[in-house]
Structures are given as C-alpha cells and as structure tokens.
Amino acid sequence: SAHLRCRASSTSTQGVGFRLPGAIYFSIAHDCGGSGFGEIRAAQIHHSIADSCGTGTAGGAFGGETNNTNTHFGVFLTLYNQGTGGDGIRIPDDADCQGQTYLGNIIANNAGWGINRQGVTLSGPSRTEAFNDIFSNASGARSNAEDPTAYDAAPTDLTLDPQFVDAANQNFAIGANLKDKAAQVFQVGGTSYLDMGAMQRQES
C-alpha cells in the first residue's frame, strides 16, 4: 500500500500510518497528538514532513508507536519541532526493528532526541544512520548507547540554523546557510541541488 500527498492535521493520535508494508510520499503531518508517521511496518517514507507532533512516550516525528517495527527507510524528510519529549526519529526497543536507514533528512528543534534508539537488541541486523543534518534537539543529536558501532555511517550533526522560509506555515525550504553546508548526498544538475529535507531550494 502507499500514501501519496497526504496531510494529517491536529489529530488526537498519530498522523499518517498503516500496519502493512508500504510507502509514504510527499506528505505532511502537523500538530498531531501522537507520532507524525507511526504504526508503520516495513515502510519507506520519502520527501515528507512531520511538524509539531507527538508528546512524551508517543514519540514524535517518525516512530514510537507500538507496532512501529521492521525495516524503515526514510529519505529526504524534514522532522521539526516535535512536542514535549518528542524525538525526531524513535526506534522502539523491539527485536523486530531491523535495517533502519535514514538518508538526507533535516532533524531540528525537537523536544527530545534527534534520533532515539531505545535499546534495540544487539542480536538484530545492523542499523544505519547516514547523511542526516541534525540541529539543536533538546536532548541531543542521537541516543544510541546500546549499539554505537551500528550507527553513524556519515552523520553531519551541525549547529547551523536551517533558515526555513516559513516553518510556522509549513514552508520548510532551507536558506543558503544550510544549503552551503549540508551533506552532499546527491548532486542533481550540478551544484544547484545540494539540498536536504523534504523541500528543495534552487539558486537562480
């Protein structure tokens, strides 16, 4: 199954999710009570935004629900401003969580961790965090004490302001500040496209 161009706003629980393998593309979840994207099995999420979701044990932008297990692949996400205790990405303590890969994401201004691995067993397959820009999350960039060797293929934990054009109105195009410093994950059309996150910014 797949969700394309979905918007979830002001829900009391999670924003967008499903329990069967599938994908989410070009979607936004904002001001949701639970995770922006949650209860997802074997999921791929591409070019999507979770803004101001999740409090406490409910997680934050991506993950944290009880059935959020198995392989995840998160590409060019903007995970911003999750609520009290909310993490940008939360990987629950479940042996079924495997093959976590995150690429080209901006994870910023969340009340919890940027990426919070909650003690997944070491016996499972390796997890990967690759090429993420992580800014000023209240608890820090990453919580991964249980398995430090399975993380950090090439993180870029920066302190720059991504200079979002208008985050209050879900315009998360980045400013020149981050564009100049972001990890060069892909170069499409030369150096005009070095953006990360869900919304691209092209120089004139």
Side-chain angles (χ1 to χ4, degrees):
S1 62
H3 294 330
L4 177 65
R5 298 181 63 85
C6 295
R7 176 182 290 270
S9 175
S10 304
T11 63
S12 59
T13 56
Q14 71 182 22
V16 181
F18 40 78
R19 298 194 180 202
L20 297 174
I24 296 171
Y25 301 95
F26 307 111
S27 296
I28 182 169
H30 64 93
D31 299 286
C32 298
S35 299
F37 305 108
E39 285 198 284
I40 299 169
R41 292 179 179 268
Q44 298 185 41
I45 303 184
H46 299 258
H47 291 88
S48 294
I49 297 167
D51 167 32
S52 304
C53 296
T55 57
T57 57
F62 182 25
E65 308 293 353
T66 56
N67 290 297
N68 182 32
T69 59
N70 299 310
T71 303
H72 289 151
F73 186 57
V75 181
F76 287 97
L77 308 176
T78 296
L79 310 176
Y80 176 77
N81 198 42
Q82 315 317 319
T84 305
D87 304 308
I89 294 171
R90 177 173 296 186
I91 305 170
D93 189 2
D94 189 319
D96 288 335
C97 289
Q98 55 186 294
Q100 313 288 330
T101 301
Y102 305 106
L103 175 69
N105 305 304
I106 297 174
I107 306 170
N109 200 44
N110 299 296
W113 293 94
I115 297 178
N116 183 3
R117 180 191 175 110
Q118 297 187 299
V120 180
T121 58
L122 297 179
S123 59
S126 63
R127 272 66 54 169
T128 302
E129 171 198 341
F131 293 113
N132 296 289
D133 279 331
I134 305 175
F135 305 86
S136 304
N137 297 280
S139 296
R142 301 179 308 281
S143 171
N144 59 334
E146 290 238 351
D147 191 2
T149 61
Y151 257 152
D152 305 337
T156 53
D157 299 339
L158 304 179
T159 57
L160 296 173
D161 178 354
Q163 297 179 335
F164 294 129
V165 171
D166 188 0
N169 291 300
Q170 289 82 52
N171 185 344
F172 289 99
I174 61 174
N177 184 19
L178 173 57
K179 184 179 180 66
D180 179 56
K181 302 298 183 183
Q184 297 183 16
V185 183
F186 296 115
Q187 293 190 21
V188 181
T191 57
S192 293
Y193 292 92
L194 299 180
D195 296 357
M196 301 181 76
M199 298 182 68
Q200 302 294 290
R201 176 182 183 274
Q202 182 182 14
E203 298 291 347
S204 59

